[in-house]
């Protein structure tokens, strides 16, 4: 049965329960106005107002595009003035519906409901087979066809929930969006079927408030232009690919971009793919930005950028961090777009309201957890190299780490594993692949290799610098740390098979460097071997950190009490706190409160920016993940290979506001999506 939804008494009882569990926003929404982007900040948009967040099909990065649950979630967790985007299709009885594309089978189950109803039609002069809205009455679609996830790389867990196709009128009157954005195209196609997109748009705008209408078809916009006042409804010319042909002029969109003064005669703004503004080369690195925003503003046109999604690879310049990408469009020295079109409006809202106009390292921290590097900034450079450590320090890490290995000559140095092939290119004739096979003078001449933990998903890290940097000895690491005024300590990790021998070598180097007596930098010794930690336990200025294994989560309380006898803090992996099943969080454990009861701080690893390393609950946003562990789990430290993301989170202007925390900075409710997905 299709989920017939009336907002806010949404869906069936399970849908409503899910929404209450996931959002817990009712009390927050009344306070949201205080958390809008600062109107006193300088926003170099055309109007001087903060950029708009436009939710494409609602929160379509999670739920089926244009479903009411997607629209409702976007409204709940985004900026107060979020605009909801509806791709308009027309039914054979003239209703306007919201659907991702002209071929309905791409994002619905229509092919299984009306198995014999596919047709071949001319769409933009191309014969196209599919299931089209023009062959069905609105009630046939709304009552029988369900929306599904149209992006196949996203979870289909919610496809069997029967989310109904809804009309434009339903979206406007039931969801009541703060702003409504209609995108209309394929006018010639609908005209072939005796349907008028022009007539529909003019008619619906008399019944409901439409804030923006966009179209990639110039003739359609010029036809309706006289029927709208720009103060009420703004028309936006949508640019498609540079080499694609605009149907009414037979010109490429690239050529039309050169005549923005002409566009201004029928539109108030333009919507362009984001690479019109920040081009990306074939190797996924940014090129210098274009003058599109400046040119359009000069012509009196607002500029909206499209194609923002969290769950596809973006330019390596952004270190897999979608907030960094948004900020390059709304918070740079040269321009600011007037709005962004996103499948993940929560991330766009965070970027604009919480991180734009960041004061940088001078801004005070709003959150407490320590930022601890994982092999330095190993998400950007080969781990445990001088470049990775310097980047971690510059990015705001408070503790940098050195996993110690011993060379054949006894020199302790930093490397993630004694197996050199995991971190370096090792020639076959060098004499071995383990650290104890080679002397330090051989190891230091090896070419480092960046770690790529997500290669199975075709996601890589900073290829231009995949072999950059030099490995460092423990002595060099300590000297580097001592000269970095921003650090509060160092973490020395001893997991080598030669544990006792390594521990003795570490102790000798630390004493020689004077770290046993100085007090400005804390020395953290980490190991999963309690006998190693006992060698350092009780020494002043040392913190013994126990790396807990999986058995600790289900062990008796006496196990945790025993840890207190040889450790001052613990490191656990993320799934100790939020267990996962099928990439969804199932529940929250009580492991952190148990450790805290014994006054043992809890540090969690490893936080990475690649969305494939995060559960679906975190909405492909590393900041959402960090925020949930900090606010909900109350962890004491974040261990990360991308320290910049975690350090920027601590400077987040949306924290430290008490009960006025905006919904886009609320932690997620662990387990809610998993439960909801089980119960259609």
């Amino acid at each position: 049965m299709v989920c017939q939804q009336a907002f806010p008494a949404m869906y069936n009882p399970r849908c409503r329960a899910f929404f209450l569990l996931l959002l817990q926003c009712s009390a927050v929404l009344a306070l949201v106005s205080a958390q809008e982007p600062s109107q006193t900040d300088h926003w170099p948009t055309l109007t001087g107002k903060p950029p708009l967040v436009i939710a494409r099909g609602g929160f379509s990065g999670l739920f089926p595009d244009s479903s009411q649950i997607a629209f409702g979630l976007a409204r709940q967790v985004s900026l107060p003035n979020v605009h909801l985007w509806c791709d308009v299709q027309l039914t054979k009885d003239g209703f306007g519906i919201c659907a991702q594309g002209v071929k309905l089978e791409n994002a619905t189950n229509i092919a299984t409901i009306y198995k014999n109803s596919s047709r071949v039609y001319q769409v933009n002069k191309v014969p196209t087979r599919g299931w089209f809205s023009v062959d069905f009455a609105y009630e046939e679609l709304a009552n029988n066809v369900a929306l599904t996830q149209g992006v196949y790389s996203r979870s289909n867990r919610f496809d069997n929930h029967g989310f109904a196709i809804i009309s434009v009128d339903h979206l406007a009157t039931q969801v009541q969006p703060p702003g409504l954005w209609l995108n209309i195209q394929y006018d010639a196609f609908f005209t072939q079927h005796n349907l008028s997109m022009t007539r529909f748009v003019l008619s619906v705008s008399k019944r409901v408030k439409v804030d923006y209408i966009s179209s990639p078809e110039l003739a359609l916009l010029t036809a309706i232009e006289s029927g709208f006042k720009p103060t009420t409804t703004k028309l936006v010319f949508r640019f498609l690919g540079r080499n694609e042909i605009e149907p009414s002029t037979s010109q490429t969109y690239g050529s039309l971009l050169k005549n923005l003064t002409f566009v201004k005669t029928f539109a108030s703004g333009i919507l362009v793919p984001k690479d019109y503004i920040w081009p990306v080369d074939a190797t996924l690195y940014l090129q210098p930005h274009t003058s599109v925003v400046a040119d359009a503003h000069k012509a009196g046109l607002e500029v909206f950028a499209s194609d923002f999604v969290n769950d596809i690879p973006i330019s390596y310049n952004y270190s897999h961090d979608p907030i960094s990408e948004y900020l390059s469009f709304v918070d740079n020295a040269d321009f600011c777009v007037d709005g962004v079109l996103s499948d993940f409006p929560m991330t766009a809202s965070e970027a604009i309201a919480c991180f734009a106009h960041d004061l940088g390292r001078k801004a005070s921290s709003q959150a407490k957890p320590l930022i601890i590097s994982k092999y330095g900034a190993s998400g950007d450079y080969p781990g445990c190299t001088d470049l990775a450590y310097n980047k971690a320090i510059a990015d705001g890490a408070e503790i940098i780490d050195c996993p110690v290995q011993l060379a054949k000559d006894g020199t302790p140095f930093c490397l993630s594993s004694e197996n050199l092939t995991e971190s370096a290119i090792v020639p076959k004739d060098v004499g071995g692949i383990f650290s104890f096979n080679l002397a330090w003078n051989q190891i230091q001449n090896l070419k480092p290799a960046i770690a790529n933990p997500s290669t199975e998903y075709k996601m890589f890290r900073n290829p231009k610098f995949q072999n950059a940097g030099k490995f460092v000895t423990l002595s060099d690491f300590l000297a580097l740390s001592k000269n970095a005024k921003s650090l509060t300590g160092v973490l020395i990790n001893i997991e080598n098979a030669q544990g006792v021998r390594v521990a003795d070598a570490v102790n000798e180097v630390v004493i020689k460097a004077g770290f046993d007596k100085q007090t400005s930098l804390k020395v953290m010794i980490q190991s999963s071997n309690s006998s190693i930690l006992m060698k350092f336990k009780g020494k002043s200025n040392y913190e013994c950190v126990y790396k807990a294994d999986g058995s600790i989560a289900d062990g008796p309380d006496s196990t945790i009490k025993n840890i207190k006898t040889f450790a001052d803090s613990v490191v656990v992996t993320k799934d100790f706190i939020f267990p996962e099943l099928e990439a969804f969080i199932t529940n929250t454990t009580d492991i952190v409160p148990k450790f805290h009861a014994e006054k043992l701080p809890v540090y969690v690893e490893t936080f990475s920016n690649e969305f494939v390393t995060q559960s679906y609950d975190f909405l492909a946003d590393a900041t959402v993940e960090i925020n949930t562990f900090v606010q909900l789990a109350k962890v004491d430290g974040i261990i990360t290979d991308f320290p910049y993301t975690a350090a920027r989170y601590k400077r987040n202007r949306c924290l430290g506001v008490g009960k006025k925390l905006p919904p886009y900075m609320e932690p997620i409710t662990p387990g809610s999506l998993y439960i909801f997905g089980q119960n259609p």
Side-chain angles (χ1 to χ4, degrees), residues 172-496:
T173 59
Q174 300 302 311
V175 180
Q176 299 177 356
L180 179 59
W181 186 306
L182 302 182
N183 182 63
I184 52 179
Q185 57 192 95
Y186 306 114
D187 185 46
F189 167 73
F190 289 111
T191 299
Q192 293 171 24
H193 297 274
N194 299 315
L195 295 166
S196 171
M197 186 64 81
T198 299
R199 186 164 55 248
F200 169 77
V201 170
L202 293 172
S203 172
V204 76
S205 64
K206 294 176 182 177
R207 300 191 299 273
V208 302
K209 186 177 186 299
V210 179
D211 297 272
Y212 287 87
I213 297 172
S214 61
S215 179
E217 300 176 9
L218 188 151
L220 194 153
L221 290 177
T222 56
I224 65 174
E225 186 249 340
S226 62
F228 294 97
K229 294 180 180 179
T231 54
T232 304
T233 302
K234 295 182 178 181
L235 304 186
V236 176
F237 184 47
R238 182 183 184 185
F239 285 77
L240 303 181
R242 288 180 180 272
N243 296 320
E244 291 188 54
I245 302 296
E246 193 284 317
S248 56
T249 63
S250 297
Q251 296 184 53
T252 65
Y253 287 98
S255 64
L256 288 170
L257 190 66
K258 299 174 183 177
N259 195 358
L260 292 177
T261 53
F262 168 63
V263 174
K264 176 60 180 173
T265 62
F266 60 86
S268 299
I270 59 173
L271 173 65
V272 298
K274 62 187 181 183
D275 62 4
Y276 272 47
I277 299 169
W278 278 108
V280 177
D281 67 18
T283 62
L284 271 186
Y285 283 93
L286 287 179
Q287 301 300 292
H289 68 74
T290 68
S291 62
V292 165
V293 177
D295 295 343
H297 282 176
K298 185 177 179 180
L301 291 164
E302 290 184 294
V303 183
F304 303 94
S306 66
D307 301 341
F308 287 92
V309 294
N310 292 6
D311 55 354
I312 63 170
I314 54 179
S315 169
Y316 293 117
N317 299 75
Y318 302 126
S319 298
H320 299 284
D321 176 16
I323 286 182
S324 291
E325 181 181 37
Y326 284 112
L327 292 176
S328 74
F329 284 83
V330 303
D331 190 25
N332 68 72
D334 298 319
F335 65 85
C336 176
V337 298
D338 300 274
V340 291
L341 176 63
S342 175
D343 291 17
F344 293 83
M346 185 173 177
T347 303
S349 299
E350 294 169 52
I352 293 167
C354 304
F355 296 104
H357 303 163
D358 180 9
L359 297 177
R361 294 293 299 276
K362 295 180 181 179
S364 59
S365 293
Q366 301 294 325
K368 293 180 180 180
L370 280 174
I371 307 303
I372 305 169
S373 74
K374 184 74 170 181
Y375 316 143
S378 57
D380 292 304
Y381 293 106
C384 299
T385 61
D386 55 343
L387 290 179
Y389 287 128
N390 281 311
K391 181 78 162 57
I393 293 168
D395 285 350
E398 294 156 303
I399 307 285
I400 58 173
D401 68 308
C402 171
V404 178
Q405 314 300 333
L406 283 185
K408 184 178 181 179
D409 57 11
T411 302
F413 66 99
C414 304
L415 201 67
S416 62
S417 168
E418 60 186 357
N419 184 344
L420 298 172
T421 62
E422 294 181 12
S423 304
I425 298 174
V426 183
K428 292 182 179 179
D429 59 353
V430 78
I433 64 169
F434 294 98
S435 60
F436 49 77
N437 296 137
L438 306 180
W440 169 243
N441 63 354
Q442 294 174 288
I443 293 171
Q444 67 179 336
N445 290 319
L446 295 177
K447 185 178 290 188
I450 200 167
N452 285 298
S454 302
T455 52
E456 63 180 301
Y457 302 101
K458 308 298 182 185
M459 296 190 73
F460 304 95
R461 292 177 169 179
N462 205 8
K464 279 187 179 179
F465 297 91
Q466 62 183 324
N467 302 120
K470 295 184 178 298
F471 295 123
V472 298
T473 64
L474 177 59
S475 295
D476 294 335
F477 170 82
L478 293 176
L480 174 67
S481 304
K482 189 177 286 188
N483 292 328
K485 304 302 181 185
S486 60
L487 293 179
T488 61
V490 295
L491 186 149
I492 299 172
N493 191 345
I494 304 174
E495 294 293 350
N496 192 289

Side-chain angles (χ1 to χ4, degrees), residues 56 66 85-89 97-101 183 185 238:
R56 193 190 69 82
S66 301
W85 166 288
C86 166
D87 277 302
V88 181
Q89 315 299 330
I97 60 170
C98 300
Q100 185 175 341
N183 182 63
Q185 57 192 95
R238 182 183 184 185

Side-chain angles (χ1 to χ4, degrees), residues 32-43 45 48-53 78-82 330 336 348-357 653-654 662 664:
V32 161
S33 59
Q35 297 305 316
E36 293 187 56
S38 174
Q39 301 289 338
T40 60
D41 286 343
H42 174 64
W43 291 97
T45 55
K49 296 179 180 179
L52 279 180
V53 172
S78 305
L79 288 172
N81 67 336
V82 64
V330 303
C336 176
S349 299
E350 294 169 52
I352 293 167
C354 304
F355 296 104
H357 303 163
R653 70 167 71 188
C654 292
Y664 38 85

